[in-house]
Amino acid sequence: MYRFLLTPRWLSLHVVVLLVIPAFVFLGQWQFGRFEERSANSERVTANIEAAPVPLDRIVAAGQRVGEDDRFRRVTVAGTYDPAHALLVRRRPQDGHNGYYVLTPLVTGDGTAVIVNRGWVRAGATADAAPEVPAPPTGQVNVTGRLRTSETEESSGIRNRSGLPAGQVLLINPGEIGKGLPYRLLGGYVELTEQQPKPAAAPEPVPAPDVGAGGGLNLAYGVQWWAFIGIAIGGWILLIRRELAERRAQEPSSASTAQDAPTSGN
């Protein structure tokens, strides 16, 4: 009765089912892994944003890199802006408009400084027109902001290139920016949220990061892939039972035909 399962057509179906089941298992596990990773990242970033600001030198020493666990940690740092080495970061849209981030080194003393992203300015009327950039405060400034890691092509998805206008960059990479500066830079930067004294005019603040759903979509995808396993197995069983039912339905008809056939002796 079940010999039809060994026919070429059915053997091909068995192979397909045996291949898709482990594939669905792997895809589900991968999505669940992404869910755990993104949930952990969301929780860490949320905790860093909500934590009370602490002095920058408690988190990372001058010349060292900002760690991934300290991303968006709120910090305070005091120093003097160096507008002579300010930079504009190209291709940074905000609120649906093209524009630039404004980077200004904050010299903290002892031959060290940290890059401060003072905010966003709208692009000029043309691609070659320089944007209007408010000057930073003079004298001693107390800055509060979110600690960020250095940008790379891999982490940002932005492809760096040479030949940009003077004073402009594509990536906020203190390791590269610091090569032309007379002081050491922190291996990361601070995204300004407030400063004292407050200037009369300033770039628009950079919005806080969108923490998102913490990987909820990945969880849904993981459940979906594993549900496909049940669908594949259920469909395979259903096809077998249907084929078996059809073959059983044909048996009485075949038997009746054999009985009604004339015998050779009459």
Side-chain angles (χ1 to χ4, degrees):
M1 182 61 68
Y2 289 94
R3 289 183 179 179
F4 67 90
L5 295 176
L6 300 179
T7 59
R9 180 171 67 89
W10 278 97
L11 289 175
S12 299
L13 179 61
H14 303 333
V15 170
V16 171
V17 173
L18 292 176
L19 288 176
V20 299
I21 288 175
F24 291 163
V25 170
F26 170 78
L27 290 169
Q29 289 178 333
W30 182 78
Q31 290 289 354
F32 286 133
R34 291 290 292 165
F35 162 71
E36 294 177 351
E37 178 183 328
R38 291 187 174 183
S39 295
N41 177 72
S42 177
E43 292 173 0
R44 181 169 59 246
V45 170
T46 300
N48 287 345
I49 292 174
E50 295 178 350
V54 298
L56 176 62
D57 56 10
R58 290 188 186 178
I59 304 298
V60 58
Q64 293 183 350
R65 292 181 177 274
V66 176
E68 288 293 321
D69 289 344
D70 293 319
R71 289 179 302 122
F72 299 105
R73 182 71 185 271
R74 296 173 65 203
V75 296
T76 59
V77 58
T80 305
Y81 281 121
D82 178 14
H85 293 100
L87 295 169
L88 293 175
V89 188
R90 297 171 62 91
R91 301 179 182 175
R92 299 300 168 122
Q94 187 165 304
D95 295 329
H97 301 286
N98 191 26
Y100 302 81
Y101 284 158
V102 180
L103 306 183
T104 310
L106 185 73
V107 181
T108 57
D110 299 327
T112 62
V114 58
I115 291 290
V116 175
N117 180 358
R118 295 198 294 121
W120 180 87
V121 293
R122 188 188 292 261
T126 66
D128 297 328
E132 296 183 7
V133 181
T138 59
Q140 187 79 359
V141 179
N142 294 313
V143 169
T144 301
R146 296 180 287 263
L147 193 57
R148 301 293 305 270
T149 57
S150 299
E151 291 183 345
T152 64
E153 290 186 343
E154 292 75 18
S155 65
S156 66
I158 299 172
R159 185 174 181 180
N160 202 9
R161 65 180 179 86
S162 58
L164 299 176
Q168 296 187 15
V169 294
L170 286 169
L171 296 172
I172 309 177
N173 188 332
E176 293 296 323
I177 295 172
K179 292 179 179 179
L181 300 181
Y183 34 71
R184 290 187 301 155
L185 286 179
L186 179 81
Y189 65 99
V190 174
E191 200 169 71
L192 178 70
T193 55
E194 58 181 290
Q195 63 184 350
Q196 295 292 338
K198 293 183 178 180
E204 294 183 24
V206 178
D210 182 8
V211 178
L217 197 59
N218 295 100
L219 177 61
Y221 286 151
V223 172
Q224 175 181 293
W225 282 117
W226 283 14
F228 286 162
I229 297 173
I231 294 173
I233 295 175
W236 177 63
I237 295 174
L238 180 63
L239 289 175
I240 292 175
R241 296 183 64 180
R242 181 180 296 176
E243 178 82 8
L244 185 61
E246 290 177 354
R247 288 177 175 269
R248 285 176 174 172
Q250 293 174 358
E251 284 182 355
S253 176
S254 300
S256 299
T257 303
Q259 292 176 359
D260 294 339
T263 58
S264 58
N266 294 332

